[in-house]
Amino acid sequence: FATTEPHKIPITILSRCQRFDFRKIGQSQVQGRLRYIIDQEQVQISDLGLSMVARSGGGSMRDALSTLDQVIAFCGEQVADDDLQGLLGLVSRRILFDTIEAIIERDTQQALSLVQKVDEHGHSFRQFCQQLVELVRALVILKVTEQPGTLLDFSETELQELRSLSTPANLDDLQRLLASLIRAE
Protein backbone atom coordinates (compact mmCIF):
# COMPACT_ATOMS: atom_id res chain seq x y z
CA PHE A 1 0.00 0.00 0.00
CA ALA A 2 1.00 3.63 -0.35
CA THR A 3 0.52 6.50 2.06
CA THR A 4 1.60 10.07 2.54
CA GLU A 5 1.14 9.72 6.32
CA PRO A 6 3.28 6.78 7.47
CA HIS A 7 3.22 8.05 11.06
CA LYS A 8 -0.45 7.00 11.27
CA ILE A 9 0.29 3.34 10.51
CA PRO A 10 0.55 1.09 13.59
CA ILE A 11 4.04 -0.19 14.38
CA THR A 12 2.84 -3.80 14.08
CA ILE A 13 1.97 -3.17 10.43
CA LEU A 14 5.08 -1.09 9.68
CA SER A 15 7.35 -3.82 11.03
CA ARG A 16 6.01 -6.19 8.37
CA CYS A 17 6.36 -3.79 5.45
CA GLN A 18 9.17 -2.87 3.17
CA ARG A 19 9.32 0.90 3.03
CA PHE A 20 10.26 3.18 0.16
CA ASP A 21 10.28 6.92 0.79
CA PHE A 22 10.01 9.09 -2.30
CA ARG A 23 11.42 12.60 -2.54
CA LYS A 24 9.58 15.58 -3.89
CA ILE A 25 9.87 16.25 -7.60
CA GLY A 26 11.32 19.62 -8.59
CA GLN A 27 8.89 22.22 -9.88
CA SER A 28 10.63 22.48 -13.25
CA GLN A 29 10.22 18.73 -13.83
CA VAL A 30 6.56 18.82 -12.79
CA GLN A 31 5.97 21.85 -14.98
CA GLY A 32 7.68 20.15 -17.94
CA ARG A 33 5.45 17.09 -17.62
CA LEU A 34 2.34 19.24 -17.27
CA ARG A 35 3.38 21.19 -20.39
CA TYR A 36 3.67 17.91 -22.32
CA ILE A 37 0.21 16.82 -21.17
CA ILE A 38 -1.56 20.06 -22.03
CA ASP A 39 0.14 20.17 -25.42
CA GLN A 40 -1.19 16.66 -26.11
CA GLU A 41 -4.67 17.68 -24.88
CA GLN A 42 -4.52 20.98 -26.83
CA VAL A 43 -5.28 23.11 -23.78
CA GLN A 44 -4.14 26.74 -23.74
CA ILE A 45 -2.48 27.79 -20.47
CA SER A 46 0.30 30.30 -19.85
CA ASP A 47 3.67 29.42 -18.36
CA LEU A 48 2.72 31.42 -15.25
CA GLY A 49 -0.51 29.43 -14.94
CA LEU A 50 1.34 26.17 -15.39
CA SER A 51 3.80 27.28 -12.73
CA MET A 52 0.90 27.89 -10.32
CA VAL A 53 -0.47 24.39 -10.96
CA ALA A 54 2.98 22.81 -10.55
CA ARG A 55 3.62 24.74 -7.32
CA SER A 56 0.22 23.72 -5.94
CA GLY A 57 1.32 20.08 -6.18
CA GLY A 58 3.99 20.69 -3.57
CA GLY A 59 6.47 18.35 -5.27
CA SER A 60 3.90 15.63 -5.91
CA MET A 61 3.21 14.78 -9.54
CA ARG A 62 -0.05 13.08 -8.56
CA ASP A 63 -1.33 16.18 -6.76
CA ALA A 64 -0.28 18.46 -9.63
CA LEU A 65 -2.03 16.21 -12.16
CA SER A 66 -5.19 16.14 -10.02
CA THR A 67 -5.14 19.93 -9.85
CA LEU A 68 -4.61 20.14 -13.62
CA ASP A 69 -7.61 17.84 -14.17
CA GLN A 70 -9.76 20.09 -11.97
CA VAL A 71 -8.55 23.20 -13.78
CA ILE A 72 -9.37 21.75 -17.19
CA ALA A 73 -12.80 20.58 -15.96
CA PHE A 74 -13.54 24.06 -14.62
CA CYS A 75 -11.98 26.27 -17.31
CA GLY A 76 -12.12 24.15 -20.45
CA GLU A 77 -9.51 24.45 -23.18
CA GLN A 78 -8.70 28.12 -22.49
CA VAL A 79 -7.29 28.66 -19.00
CA ALA A 80 -6.89 32.30 -17.93
CA ASP A 81 -4.44 33.13 -15.14
CA ASP A 82 -7.11 35.02 -13.16
CA ASP A 83 -9.50 32.06 -13.31
CA LEU A 84 -6.69 29.77 -12.22
CA GLN A 85 -5.76 31.96 -9.25
CA GLY A 86 -9.38 32.04 -8.15
CA LEU A 87 -9.77 28.29 -8.54
CA LEU A 88 -6.60 27.56 -6.55
CA GLY A 89 -7.47 30.19 -3.92
CA LEU A 90 -4.14 31.94 -4.44
CA VAL A 91 -3.48 35.59 -3.80
CA SER A 92 -2.17 37.47 -6.82
CA ARG A 93 1.64 37.48 -7.07
CA ARG A 94 1.47 41.23 -7.65
CA ILE A 95 -0.32 41.77 -4.31
CA LEU A 96 2.21 39.53 -2.56
CA PHE A 97 5.22 41.33 -4.02
CA ASP A 98 3.66 44.74 -3.26
CA THR A 99 2.96 43.66 0.34
CA ILE A 100 6.55 42.54 0.89
CA GLU A 101 7.82 45.76 -0.68
CA ALA A 102 5.54 47.86 1.57
CA ILE A 103 6.77 45.97 4.65
CA ILE A 104 10.43 46.36 3.70
CA GLU A 105 9.93 50.09 3.04
CA ARG A 106 7.96 50.38 6.30
CA ASP A 107 4.95 51.83 4.43
CA THR A 108 2.25 50.90 6.93
CA GLN A 109 -0.58 52.58 5.01
CA GLN A 110 0.20 50.64 1.82
CA ALA A 111 0.62 47.33 3.70
CA LEU A 112 -2.75 47.74 5.45
CA SER A 113 -4.39 48.73 2.16
CA LEU A 114 -3.09 45.54 0.54
CA VAL A 115 -4.28 43.41 3.46
CA GLN A 116 -7.72 45.02 3.08
CA LYS A 117 -7.66 44.19 -0.64
CA VAL A 118 -6.88 40.54 0.20
CA ASP A 119 -9.87 40.52 2.57
CA GLU A 120 -12.16 42.15 -0.01
CA HIS A 121 -11.23 39.50 -2.57
CA GLY A 122 -12.27 36.84 -0.04
CA HIS A 123 -8.89 35.14 0.19
CA SER A 124 -7.95 33.03 3.18
CA PHE A 125 -5.55 34.88 5.47
CA ARG A 126 -3.85 31.57 6.24
CA GLN A 127 -3.14 31.09 2.50
CA PHE A 128 -1.99 34.71 2.28
CA CYS A 129 0.44 34.16 5.17
CA GLN A 130 1.70 30.90 3.66
CA GLN A 131 2.44 32.62 0.37
CA LEU A 132 4.16 35.52 2.16
CA VAL A 133 6.26 33.02 4.15
CA GLU A 134 7.34 31.39 0.88
CA LEU A 135 8.40 34.74 -0.57
CA VAL A 136 10.22 35.97 2.54
CA ARG A 137 12.02 32.63 2.80
CA ALA A 138 13.14 33.16 -0.81
CA LEU A 139 14.37 36.66 0.07
CA VAL A 140 16.42 35.27 2.96
CA ILE A 141 17.96 32.62 0.70
CA LEU A 142 18.78 35.25 -1.93
CA LYS A 143 20.35 37.40 0.78
CA VAL A 144 22.74 34.65 1.91
CA THR A 145 23.60 33.15 -1.48
CA GLU A 146 24.02 34.55 -4.98
CA GLN A 147 23.12 31.29 -6.76
CA PRO A 148 20.15 29.65 -5.01
CA GLY A 149 20.21 26.67 -7.40
CA THR A 150 17.56 24.14 -6.43
CA LEU A 151 16.70 25.87 -3.15
CA LEU A 152 14.11 28.05 -4.89
CA ASP A 153 11.45 27.04 -7.39
CA PHE A 154 10.77 30.35 -9.10
CA SER A 155 10.86 31.43 -12.73
CA GLU A 156 13.76 33.63 -13.80
CA THR A 157 11.45 36.66 -13.98
CA GLU A 158 10.26 36.08 -10.42
CA LEU A 159 13.85 35.59 -9.24
CA GLN A 160 14.85 38.94 -10.76
CA GLU A 161 11.96 40.66 -8.99
CA LEU A 162 12.85 38.92 -5.72
CA ARG A 163 16.49 40.00 -6.09
CA SER A 164 15.42 43.63 -6.52
CA LEU A 165 13.21 43.31 -3.41
CA SER A 166 16.00 41.75 -1.36
CA THR A 167 18.58 44.42 -2.17
CA PRO A 168 17.39 47.14 0.26
CA ALA A 169 16.30 44.63 2.90
CA ASN A 170 18.35 43.82 5.99
CA LEU A 171 18.86 40.09 6.73
CA ASP A 172 17.92 40.51 10.40
CA ASP A 173 14.70 42.31 9.44
CA LEU A 174 13.82 39.57 6.96
CA GLN A 175 14.37 36.88 9.59
CA ARG A 176 12.18 38.75 12.08
CA LEU A 177 9.51 39.17 9.40
CA LEU A 178 9.68 35.46 8.58
CA ALA A 179 9.27 34.52 12.25
CA SER A 180 6.34 36.93 12.63
CA LEU A 181 4.58 35.57 9.55
CA ILE A 182 5.02 31.98 10.73
CA ARG A 183 3.51 32.92 14.10
CA ALA A 184 0.65 34.78 12.38
CA GLU A 185 -0.08 31.77 10.18
Side-chain angles (χ1 to χ4, degrees):
F1 62 93
T3 183
T4 55
E5 299 177 329
H7 60 279
K8 291 185 176 180
I9 300 171
I11 297 295
T12 55
I13 303 295
L14 275 178
S15 68
R16 291 166 175 82
C17 293
Q18 193 172 25
R19 184 172 171 172
F20 297 96
D21 291 318
F22 296 103
R23 289 185 292 245
K24 292 181 178 183
I25 302 172
Q27 183 179 336
S28 60
Q29 290 175 302
V30 173
Q31 194 169 339
R33 184 64 182 164
L34 295 178
R35 172 60 63 196
Y36 172 78
I37 291 168
I38 65 164
D39 287 347
Q40 296 298 311
E41 296 293 324
Q42 298 178 345
V43 174
Q44 300 297 316
I45 184 171
S46 71
D47 286 337
L48 177 63
L50 211 55
S51 174
M52 283 188 268
V53 173
R55 192 173 286 130
S56 75
S60 166
M61 184 65 76
R62 180 193 63 189
D63 292 348
L65 289 172
S66 294
T67 301
L68 182 63
D69 284 342
Q70 291 172 1
V71 165
I72 292 171
F74 180 77
C75 298
E77 293 181 2
Q78 293 283 348
V79 180
D81 290 346
D82 292 339
D83 292 339
L84 188 57
Q85 273 183 317
L87 182 64
L88 296 176
L90 299 175
V91 178
S92 150
R93 290 300 244 193
R94 184 74 267 142
I95 290 176
L96 293 168
F97 280 104
D98 289 347
T99 301
I100 297 294
E101 185 176 13
I103 291 170
I104 289 172
E105 293 176 356
R106 299 186 186 327
D107 185 349
T108 310
Q109 182 65 37
Q110 177 68 6
L112 290 173
S113 169
L114 289 164
V115 169
Q116 182 179 7
K117 189 181 288 188
V118 168
D119 186 42
E120 288 170 357
H121 287 237
H123 293 294
S124 157
F125 280 111
R126 170 171 245 144
Q127 179 69 33
F128 179 57
C129 279
Q130 288 171 345
Q131 289 180 269
L132 286 175
V133 164
E134 177 186 349
L135 286 178
V136 174
R137 175 188 171 273
L139 291 175
V140 168
I141 289 172
L142 287 172
K143 224 30 178 170
V144 297
T145 180
E146 285 293 317
Q147 297 299 323
T150 59
L151 295 173
L152 299 177
D153 274 335
F154 288 97
S155 69
E156 194 54 44
T157 307
E158 290 173 320
L159 278 176
Q160 289 296 358
E161 194 163 0
L162 284 168
R163 281 189 179 101
S164 68
L165 268 178
S166 73
T167 302
N170 178 329
L171 183 60
D172 290 335
D173 289 342
L174 288 175
Q175 289 175 329
R176 275 192 297 277
L177 175 58
L178 187 58
S180 295
L181 286 170
I182 289 170
R183 276 193 309 273
E185 182 193 345

